[in-house]
Amino acid sequence: MTISLPIIALAFALAADAFAVALIQGARFQPSWQQVCALALVFGVLQGLMPLIGLALGSVAFGYATQAAPWIAFGLLVWIGLQMILAASAHDGPVARLNGATLLMAGLATSIDALAAGISLPSLTSAPAVACAVIAFVTFLLSALGVKLGAIVGDRFGNVAEICGGIILIVLGTKILADHLGFL
């Protein structure tokens, strides 16, 4: 079982938006430990499953184009990273308490980037199942930590976390393409 640095970087990047949402939830609502665990579990499980779905969809749609996979991964990761950076400025509206259906919807929304990133899994050095487990675990931990930190420091750092996650995705996409082109 190999856990590579790119997988860890991808896991942190993909977890950044879940961390930002968790941070805001902690700052605004001071959730109980049960609510913290529920949020972290939903975000972690969905974040871990979505890359597998993306990988399966990518395998069907792009299985014949193995040479194009690094270019596709680069394009998707850069696009997702830019979307995260741009979306960071849109988090100034009212925030709803996440529970039940709203928690599930927030978990799906924060894991859409993981769905798209699933196509990049074959370009990385870890097995897809290992990568997804790392992504789920990191998201779980960062989500739980985000809620607790939010309760302490407030919600002023949520956008910074999302911007950092976007930057990491762009760097990871660039690294995948640079590896493919033989620059690294």
Side-chain angles (χ1 to χ4, degrees):
M1 174 169 72
T2 302
I3 299 174
S4 64
L5 187 57
I7 289 297
I8 294 169
L10 178 63
F12 275 90
L14 292 175
D17 51 355
F19 175 80
V21 171
L23 192 70
I24 293 167
Q25 287 293 301
R28 302 244 173 108
F29 301 112
Q30 308 286 319
S32 68
W33 273 105
Q34 293 87 353
Q35 292 167 321
V36 171
C37 289
L39 182 140
L41 187 62
V42 167
F43 282 11
V45 167
L46 289 173
Q47 201 78 271
L49 288 177
M50 291 300 243
L52 287 177
I53 295 169
L55 176 63
L57 292 174
S59 296
V60 169
F62 302 108
Y64 60 89
T66 56
Q67 287 294 2
W71 289 93
I72 294 166
F74 167 76
L76 287 173
L77 290 172
V78 168
W79 182 78
I80 294 164
L82 290 173
Q83 292 301 312
M84 286 175 65
I85 292 168
L86 294 173
S89 63
H91 289 278
D92 296 332
V95 175
R97 180 183 291 269
L98 298 179
N99 54 37
T102 58
L103 176 58
L104 184 59
M105 289 181 359
L108 288 170
T110 59
S111 63
I112 292 298
D113 53 350
L115 176 75
I119 188 126
S120 71
L121 292 181
S123 302
L124 303 173
T125 57
S126 298
V130 171
C132 290
V134 170
I135 291 166
F137 182 71
V138 167
T139 302
F140 176 86
L141 287 179
L142 287 182
S143 296
L145 179 64
V147 174
K148 288 319 214 176
L149 282 176
I152 296 168
V153 300
D155 63 343
R156 60 187 170 269
F157 296 113
N159 290 348
V160 173
E162 194 160 4
I163 290 169
C164 288
I167 291 169
I168 290 169
L169 285 178
I170 292 169
V171 168
L172 183 59
T174 303
K175 182 205 177 298
I176 289 169
L177 185 59
D179 281 343
H180 174 69
L181 295 174
F183 294 134
L184 295 179

